């Protein structure tokens, strides 16, 4: 048994074995979700360790219902994990071969298992008005919900997962 623990430690140190595809460096990094304006103002700087999940939530500008795009830190990679839409409204819908569409039991649907990496762990969002109310929320309640629209309506922001 002792030799197995030593072998595992040796493999981990050599980088030949990585849990769930994560490198040893990404396993120990201090990951943060950051939302920053083009002027450099930080709107969100929240701890986002491996496995953590967050969503961008907003009101659809035409149909006025809530839409969610949910992400996770998958071994240091920001992944679009799932999306929720209560309707097949303008600009929304499931793309065949991209995740699995399931009913939410209330007339809407989730697209689960999208698991699509976000290029360079960041993307740009033009924040909607307070009527649209783009916000960052954490499904587990780990952090308070932050309204981006209250602080940066009409502005471009960068949403990024980064390590310190």
């Amino acid at each position: 048994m002792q030799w197995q623990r030593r072998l595992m430690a040796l493999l981990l140190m050599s980088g030949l074995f990585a849990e769930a595809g994560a490198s040893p460096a990404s396993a120990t990094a201090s990951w943060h979700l950051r939302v920053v304006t083009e002027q450099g103002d930080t709107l969100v700087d929240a701890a986002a360790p491996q496995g953590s999940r967050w969503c961008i939530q907003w009101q659809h500008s035409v149909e006025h219902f809530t839409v969610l795009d949910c992400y996770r830190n998958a071994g240091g990679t920001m992944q679009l994990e799932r999306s929720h839409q209560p309707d097949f409204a303008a600009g929304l819908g499931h793309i065949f071969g991209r995740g699995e569409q399931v009913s939410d039991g209330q007339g809407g649907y989730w697209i689960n298992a999208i698991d699509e990496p976000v290029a360079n762990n960041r993307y740009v969002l033009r924040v909607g008005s307070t009527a649209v109310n783009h916000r960052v929320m954490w499904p587990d309640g780990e952090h308070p919900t932050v309204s981006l629209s209250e602080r940066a309506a009409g502005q471009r922001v960068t949403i990024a997962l980064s390590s310190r």
Side-chain angles (χ1 to χ4, degrees):
M1 205 42 97
Q2 183 69 19
W3 69 269
Q4 291 171 326
R5 276 183 268 187
R6 286 185 185 165
L7 178 60
M8 182 68 76
L10 180 63
L11 290 172
L12 283 170
M13 287 187 294
S14 69
L16 295 175
F17 177 82
E19 188 174 355
S23 70
S26 69
T28 60
S30 175
W31 293 98
H32 282 252
L33 176 67
R34 292 192 177 90
V35 180
V36 180
T37 67
E38 286 183 307
Q39 295 75 30
D41 297 326
T42 299
L43 305 179
V44 174
D45 186 356
Q50 287 192 49
S52 63
R53 292 175 160 81
W54 63 92
C55 299
I56 303 299
Q57 182 178 24
W58 71 94
Q59 302 309 116
H60 190 277
S61 61
V62 175
E63 298 296 329
H64 307 290
F65 51 60
T66 303
V67 180
L68 289 162
D69 281 337
C70 297
Y71 300 84
R72 74 170 173 230
N73 177 346
T77 298
M78 182 192 304
Q79 281 189 349
L80 174 60
E81 181 177 38
R82 60 194 295 211
S83 185
H84 181 263
Q85 290 106 32
D87 196 334
F88 284 106
L92 300 177
H94 178 236
I95 299 169
F96 182 76
R98 184 176 182 248
E100 174 189 20
Q101 180 180 322
V102 296
S103 171
D104 69 0
Q106 299 174 349
Y109 61 96
W110 281 99
I111 303 170
N112 292 326
I114 298 172
D115 301 334
E116 189 173 276
V118 175
N120 300 314
N121 276 354
R122 67 185 64 237
Y123 66 95
V124 174
L125 170 72
R126 176 149 326 260
V127 178
S129 69
T130 53
V132 172
N133 195 18
H134 276 107
R135 52 209 179 271
V136 181
M137 57 87 66
W138 287 262
D140 63 4
E142 182 179 342
H143 301 288
T145 297
V146 176
S147 173
L148 303 176
S149 294
E150 287 178 5
R151 300 184 56 203
Q155 295 182 47
R156 289 169 42 107
V157 299
T158 300
I159 300 172
L161 177 67
S162 60
S163 64
R164 287 192 182 179

